[in-house]
């Protein structure tokens, strides 16, 4: 994997199984036993709590029966010692501990009781009566929907305006894939312990984790040495000089030629956005191959682009031959014209970024090629895999891997916490803004990636950099308000990012 950035521990993402099997070994190699590790976890969560809520705040600590609950009891004890007003609510309140030493969680619970602490029933917790709720109910081992009292408790917590700190993972969330199978806590802060779990950063999980903080408990580097991460979080600093400064004597022919294919009647806006994005990405020349009925509309939108009316195979062939990179799909539609154009483009030898109706047609006419770059959202991914969008969202990591295997392509699965499987490895981009939930954003991304390809950026790099800079541009445009942001609002920021401005401001 490239330095995007796998060298930094906070960018290494792990599977739950790796944590379950590896944290004890890492602790032992760091001269710690598991009770010491649990104590370190409680202290780390309490440290984050103290930074945000000074004593004597009222704190409800909600504890389960496992190690996550044990962490919670340590937080409760530390908070009480520091002058906070603490009440513990337990899944099994005042349960008899036949042997307090039989587990680390029991030791932590016993220490809480020895300090004079008591426990109330989970459903006795009224979040609005507290300044903070600590969610220590279920940890990373949960892989099913919550049932019974925890469901009611989650509903009460989520309905309240009281902030929530979740220990390691918001209860109800699958930390391995980000799936939310039922009720799940909506935390304001999640303190991930030892290492980042990959599922906390993608899909619906982003509605639940809130601010995400990593506390490695002093064993992070040892854990990293003992366990290979197979997913990595991308940050702007890891892109280095993937798009270096231009030579003073360069000319447009050296900066590549993008051909954008699409633009059916009624869909000219999509191809226009892709066209403008490719130009702002720095492509030397941008051509558009569109339906004859929209040629005048597209040509009037950008005088710097060359816009061609595609009537038959003979008018498209020379354009395909001259292209450095092809963007296929914006506004393409699914008419007879669309099918014919798709078929011709797929025969071309150039690198192809496929999105929108290009992906829908690919689902009907599957092709496998290393020269394809696919950028589906979950619905398009579902059609490509002949499944449902819900199934894709239930395990985005599996879906993007299956797309790579089926089509032999480099793949970007879009959405909150976009996932990429490329020649440079597997990575995740958790940048972007809710402001980007408007039409045309995907067309903009297609143009940006194709513009980077045309400038001889390697396909994997173009996909990664394009996705990251697109997300960062969305963040900047969204600063004026999450509602009403248009895809075209991102264009000035895309230009700045491809020129190196703001790449390290993450």
């Amino acid at each position: 994997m490239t330095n995007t950035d796998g060298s930094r521990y906070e960018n290494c993402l792990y599977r739950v199984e790796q944590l379950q099997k590896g944290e004890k070994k890492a602790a032992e190699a760091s001269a710690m036993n598991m009770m010491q590790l649990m104590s370190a976890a409680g202290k780390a969560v309490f440290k984050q709590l103290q930074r945000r809520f000074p004593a004597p705040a009222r704190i409800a600590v909600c504890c389960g029966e496992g190690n996550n609950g044990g962490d919670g009891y340590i937080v409760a004890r530390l908070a009480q010692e520091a002058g906070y007003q603490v009440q513990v609510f337990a899944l099994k309140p005042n349960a008899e501990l036949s042997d307090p030493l039989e587990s680390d969680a029991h030791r932590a619970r016993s220490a809480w009781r020895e300090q004079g602490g008591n426990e109330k029933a989970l459903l006795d917790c009224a979040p609005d009566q507290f300044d903070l709720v600590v969610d220590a109910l279920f940890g990373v081992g949960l892989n099913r929907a919550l049932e019974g009292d925890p469901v009611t408790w989650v509903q009460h917590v989520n309905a309240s305006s009281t902030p929530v700190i979740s220990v390691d993972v918001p209860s109800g969330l699958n930390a391995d894939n980000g799936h939310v199978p039922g009720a799940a806590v909506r935390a304001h802060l999640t303190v991930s312990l030892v290492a980042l779990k990959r599922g906390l950063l993608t899909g619906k999980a982003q509605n639940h984790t809130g601010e995400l903080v990593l506390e490695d408990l002093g064993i992070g580097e040892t854990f990293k040495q003992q366990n290979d991460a197979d997913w990595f979080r991308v940050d702007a600093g890891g892109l280095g000089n993937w798009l270096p400064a231009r030579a003073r004597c360069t000319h447009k022919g050296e900066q590549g030629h993008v051909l954008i294919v699409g633009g059916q009647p009624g869909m000219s806006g999509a191809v226009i956005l892709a066209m403008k994005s490719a130009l702002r990405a720095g492509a030397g020349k941008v051509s558009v191959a569109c339906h004859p009925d929209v040629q005048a509309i597209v040509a009037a939108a950008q005088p710097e682009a060359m816009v061609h009316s595609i009537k038959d195979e003979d008018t498209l062939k020379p354009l395909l031959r001259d292209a450095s990179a092809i963007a296929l799909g914006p506004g393409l539609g699914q008419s007879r014209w669309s099918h014919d154009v798709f078929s011709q483009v797929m025969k071309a030898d150039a690198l192809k970024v496929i999105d929108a109706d290009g992906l829908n047609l690919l689902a009907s006419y599957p092709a496998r090629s290393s020269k394809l770059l696919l950028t589906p959202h979950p619905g398009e991914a579902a059609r490509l895999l002949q499944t449902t969008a819900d199934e894709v969202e239930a395990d985005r990591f599996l879906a993007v891997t299956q797309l790579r295997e089926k089509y032999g392509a480099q793949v970007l699965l879009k959405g909150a916490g976009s996932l990429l499987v490329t020649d440079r490895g597997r990575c995740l981009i958790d940048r972007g803004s809710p402001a980007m939930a408007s039409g045309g954003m995907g067309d903009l991304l297609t143009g940006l990636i194709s513009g980077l390809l045309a400038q001889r950026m390697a396909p994997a790099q173009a996909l990664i950099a394009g996705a990251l800079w697109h997300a960062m541009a969305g963040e900047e445009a969204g600063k004026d308000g999450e509602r009403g942001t248009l895809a075209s609002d991102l264009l000035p920021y895309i230009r700045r990012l491809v020129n190196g401005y703001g790449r390290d401001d993450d």
Side-chain angles (χ1 to χ4, degrees):
M1 180 64 193
T2 183
N3 183 33
T4 48
D5 181 5
S7 63
R8 295 171 55 189
Y9 187 55
E10 58 266 37
N11 289 336
C12 296
L13 307 179
Y14 293 93
R15 290 174 285 108
V16 166
E17 182 183 19
Q18 290 177 289
L19 269 296
Q20 291 173 325
K21 292 182 177 180
E23 67 177 13
K24 182 178 181 180
K25 182 180 178 182
E28 290 172 348
S30 303
M32 296 174 68
N33 60 40
M34 294 306 288
M35 186 64 221
Q36 289 171 321
L37 190 67
M38 180 175 286
S39 179
K43 290 176 181 177
V45 175
F46 179 62
K47 177 185 70 176
Q48 295 294 337
L49 182 159
Q50 272 189 310
R51 288 177 178 173
R52 295 162 175 82
F53 300 90
R58 299 164 300 168
I59 302 175
V61 183
C62 301
C63 298
E65 292 295 296
N67 287 340
N68 198 250
D71 297 338
Y73 283 108
I74 292 173
V75 172
R77 180 168 52 82
L78 293 172
Q80 185 165 275
E81 290 173 352
Y84 288 84
Q85 302 173 67
V86 183
Q87 178 61 62
V88 167
F89 297 91
L91 191 57
K92 296 181 180 179
N94 302 310
E96 182 177 347
L97 306 181
S98 55
D99 181 0
L101 300 181
E102 70 181 18
S103 75
D104 296 325
H106 280 188
R107 288 186 179 93
R109 192 170 189 175
S110 180
W112 163 249
R113 292 178 179 179
E114 289 171 3
Q115 189 169 288
N118 60 11
E119 305 152 22
K120 293 184 178 180
L122 185 66
L123 293 187
D124 287 341
C125 177
D128 289 336
Q129 295 179 7
F130 295 88
D131 301 308
L132 172 69
V133 173
V134 176
D135 162 30
L137 208 63
F138 295 103
V140 297
L142 187 75
N143 56 11
R144 55 177 174 76
L146 296 179
E147 299 175 344
D149 288 351
V151 174
T152 304
W153 171 77
V154 167
Q155 292 169 345
H156 290 163
V157 169
N158 288 348
S160 171
S161 60
T162 302
V164 180
I165 293 179
S166 285
V167 178
D168 213 16
V169 56
S171 293
L173 171 66
N174 186 314
D176 213 29
N177 55 32
H179 184 43
V180 184
V185 168
R186 291 181 180 266
H188 295 74
L189 169 70
T190 299
V191 184
S192 184
L193 303 172
V194 180
L196 281 180
K197 294 81 186 168
R198 64 182 194 175
L200 298 179
L201 292 155
T202 191
K204 295 295 191 295
Q206 292 210 355
N207 288 335
H208 294 266
T209 54
E211 180 188 356
L212 182 62
V213 174
L214 171 64
E215 290 283 357
D216 73 357
L217 311 185
I219 67 171
E221 283 303 317
T222 302
F223 184 87
K224 179 184 175 184
Q225 292 169 10
Q226 295 176 345
N227 298 270
D228 293 329
D230 54 4
W231 286 87
F232 296 88
R233 190 183 192 182
V234 179
D235 64 41
L239 271 59
N241 61 348
W242 285 5
L243 200 59
R246 292 181 175 182
R248 291 184 63 83
C249 61
T250 191
H251 56 82
K252 65 182 180 182
E254 292 180 337
Q255 302 306 321
H257 185 182
V258 172
L259 174 64
I260 299 170
V261 183
Q264 263 231 134
M267 301 180 184
S268 57
V271 78
I272 289 170
L273 285 169
M275 170 184 72
K276 290 187 174 185
S277 184
L279 285 164
R280 289 302 186 187
K285 295 187 289 184
V286 175
S287 295
V288 177
C290 61
H291 192 280
D293 291 351
V294 302
Q295 190 269 343
I297 298 171
V298 177
Q302 193 72 46
E304 293 86 353
M306 297 166 285
V307 184
H308 305 267
S309 170
I310 302 304
K311 300 177 182 178
D312 52 37
E313 185 174 345
D314 290 338
T315 55
L316 183 56
K317 270 186 177 179
L319 299 176
L320 295 172
R321 189 167 53 245
D322 293 342
S324 309
I326 299 171
L328 174 62
L332 181 62
Q334 298 190 53
S335 65
R336 184 68 264 164
W337 177 86
S338 311
H339 283 249
D340 291 343
V341 166
F342 174 85
S343 177
Q344 291 178 56
V345 173
M346 290 301 290
K347 296 174 185 176
D349 190 50
L351 290 163
K352 292 176 277 290
V353 184
I354 306 183
D355 188 39
D357 276 320
L359 293 169
N360 293 327
L361 290 171
L362 181 63
S364 299
Y365 307 102
R368 182 179 170 83
S369 172
S370 60
K371 291 194 172 184
L372 300 180
L373 288 79
L374 311 183
T375 61
H377 58 54
E380 292 159 345
R383 287 186 280 277
L384 289 167
L385 293 172
Q386 297 182 318
T387 183
T388 66
D390 286 344
E391 286 295 314
V392 169
E393 287 290 80
D395 194 336
R396 289 167 55 81
F397 295 95
L398 176 62
V400 71
T401 302
Q402 289 175 331
L403 287 168
R404 167 76 164 174
E405 293 171 351
K406 181 174 181 178
Y407 292 94
Q410 318 225 29
V411 184
L412 161 63
L413 178 57
K414 296 183 293 193
S418 293
L419 303 180
L420 300 95
V421 181
T422 74
D423 290 344
R424 299 183 72 93
R426 306 176 186 187
C427 57
L428 181 151
I429 296 173
D430 60 327
R431 301 291 295 263
S433 166
M436 300 174 74
S438 62
M441 291 292 176
D443 304 310
L444 211 68
L445 175 61
T446 300
L448 172 55
I449 295 169
S450 59
L452 297 176
L453 283 175
Q455 295 171 80
R456 299 185 180 87
M457 189 179 276
Q461 291 175 319
L463 200 62
I464 294 168
L468 179 61
W469 291 339
H470 179 254
M472 293 172 69
E475 291 173 353
E476 290 301 312
K479 287 180 179 179
D480 290 331
E482 292 180 351
R483 290 180 173 86
T485 299
L486 306 180
S488 55
D489 293 336
L490 276 63
L491 288 167
Y493 302 106
I494 287 173
R495 184 184 180 191
R496 287 182 57 81
L497 287 161
V498 298
N499 281 288
Y501 303 113
R503 291 189 195 173
D504 296 322
D505 295 339
D506 65 328

